[in-house]
Amino acid sequence: MLQLHKLERYKDDQGNEIVYDGEVLETKIDIRFKGSNNRLVISPKADIKDLLVTFSGDNGQIEIEQTTKKRAGLRFELRCGHESRIRIGENVGCAGRAFISAVEGVSVTIGADVMFAKNIEVRGDDTHPIFDVRTEKRVNPSQSIVVGEHVWIAKHAVVMGGVTIGNGSVIGFRSIVTSNIPNNCIAVGAPARVVRRNIAWERPEVVPRRPNELYPRKGEKSPQYWNPTEDNAASEKPVVRQQQRRGRFLPASVRRLARKLRSS
């Protein structure tokens, strides 16, 4: 394993590469290459505060876009496996280090202007395989994740594989997201469920505000994210790899009914 503690342009004879032309950073930088032909691309304007990157296979790719607005900074632990991809959009902010994992050929996409609180996990995999003991088939394949733009994920929340979260939504404290969440809504719980639709949120904190102050103040509203909830809308369908066909485990009568419905 090759381990680097400096963020700067780099390339080795195994095809691993760091594409970065910004100021050289040496504080809280830990980049590990365990395979070959991996590529880390970071905008020179990305506000990196704390970065641990592990490429655990070959042909992985991680992209981190620029920070052009005032944000908490980028604090990430990123795990990228064989032929997998992680993409972090512009103006993302993290109050604490967020863990993101993409392995087994899947992708995790974080949209622009996402706000991560502390102790967030976005996991396209479960780290360890789980099997059906009757068939010996794996039941927890890795799956891709899409987090849309201007999404607020609160403390200790977890986003699991196969999920799309729509633009402008809020994921509540300690929630576990296991299914798709539409745009502009609040989802809470384990598993997370939508509890309110047609919402919008803004970044300015309420802590210093006076009682009964009107919101939002002039200039605080980001109108592009003030939209009604569309339950069937999705910015992108996640890619699912190694997905097992489940029909064989259903009762014969259910399978016959499903075939009849498909042919009708």
Side-chain angles (χ1 to χ4, degrees):
M1 180 182 74
L2 175 66
Q3 190 169 9
L4 305 172
H5 294 286
K6 186 182 295 187
L7 180 57
E8 61 183 350
R9 183 171 282 271
Y10 169 85
K11 191 168 186 178
D12 62 29
D13 56 6
Q14 299 298 312
N16 298 306
E17 183 178 13
I18 299 173
V19 179
Y20 173 73
D21 294 321
E23 179 184 353
V24 176
L25 301 178
E26 300 184 62
T27 302
K28 293 187 176 181
I29 300 296
D30 189 344
I31 302 170
R32 306 171 185 181
F33 293 104
K34 297 182 179 180
S36 60
N37 299 315
N38 296 293
R39 198 163 187 255
L40 173 62
V41 181
I42 300 180
S43 167
K45 295 183 179 180
D47 186 16
I48 303 294
K49 300 295 188 184
D50 182 359
L51 186 62
L52 167 57
V53 173
T54 302
F55 286 100
S56 56
D58 303 328
N59 305 310
Q61 181 160 323
I62 296 174
E63 302 170 47
I64 301 176
E65 295 195 17
Q66 63 183 350
T67 310
T68 60
K69 298 181 180 179
K70 185 178 180 180
R71 296 292 181 259
L74 296 166
R75 298 170 172 86
F76 283 111
E77 178 181 349
L78 307 176
R79 180 173 68 189
C80 189
H82 289 287
E83 300 177 13
S84 302
R85 182 178 180 183
I86 297 172
R87 180 181 178 275
I88 298 168
E90 64 181 20
N91 295 317
V92 171
C94 310
R97 184 190 276 185
F99 174 73
I100 298 178
S101 178
V103 302
E104 297 188 302
V106 305
S107 66
V108 173
T109 302
I110 308 298
D113 203 46
V114 166
M115 184 168 72
F116 286 110
K118 296 179 180 179
N119 302 320
I120 305 300
E121 295 194 20
V122 183
R123 309 180 59 97
D125 61 276
D126 297 331
T127 303
H128 305 284
I130 301 173
F131 301 94
D132 183 313
V133 296
R134 300 166 300 171
T135 64
E136 298 188 0
K137 298 295 185 181
R138 185 169 164 199
V139 298
N140 66 333
S142 297
Q143 300 180 72
S144 294
I145 296 171
V146 177
V147 177
E149 296 183 6
H150 192 66
V151 172
W152 171 11
I153 302 183
K155 284 184 180 180
H156 308 292
V158 180
V159 181
M160 302 300 293
V163 162
T164 293
I165 301 176
N167 296 347
S169 285
V170 177
I171 306 301
F173 181 77
R174 288 185 176 171
S175 295
I176 302 178
V177 184
T178 60
S179 59
N180 290 350
I181 303 297
N183 67 291
N184 292 87
C185 64
I186 300 173
V188 300
R193 295 287 183 264
V194 174
V195 296
R196 184 153 188 165
R197 290 169 164 77
N198 303 312
I199 65 96
W201 66 273
E202 298 295 349
R203 285 180 176 269
E205 295 184 353
V206 302
V207 177
R209 301 295 176 95
R210 296 181 181 279
N212 302 317
E213 183 176 339
L214 295 178
Y215 290 84
R217 288 177 178 172
K218 184 178 180 180
E220 288 182 347
K221 185 176 179 179
S222 35
Q224 69 271 33
Y225 298 119
W226 286 57
N227 300 301
T229 299
E230 299 179 28
D231 288 330
N232 296 323
S235 59
E236 179 180 346
K237 290 186 177 180
V239 177
V240 179
R241 306 297 176 103
Q242 301 183 7
Q243 187 174 31
Q244 303 296 332
R245 298 181 66 180
R246 298 179 181 178
R248 68 187 73 176
F249 303 128
L250 297 174
S253 59
V254 177
R255 296 201 301 272
R256 286 196 295 272
L257 177 60
R259 287 196 296 270
K260 184 181 295 184
L261 290 172
R262 286 197 298 268
S263 61
S264 61

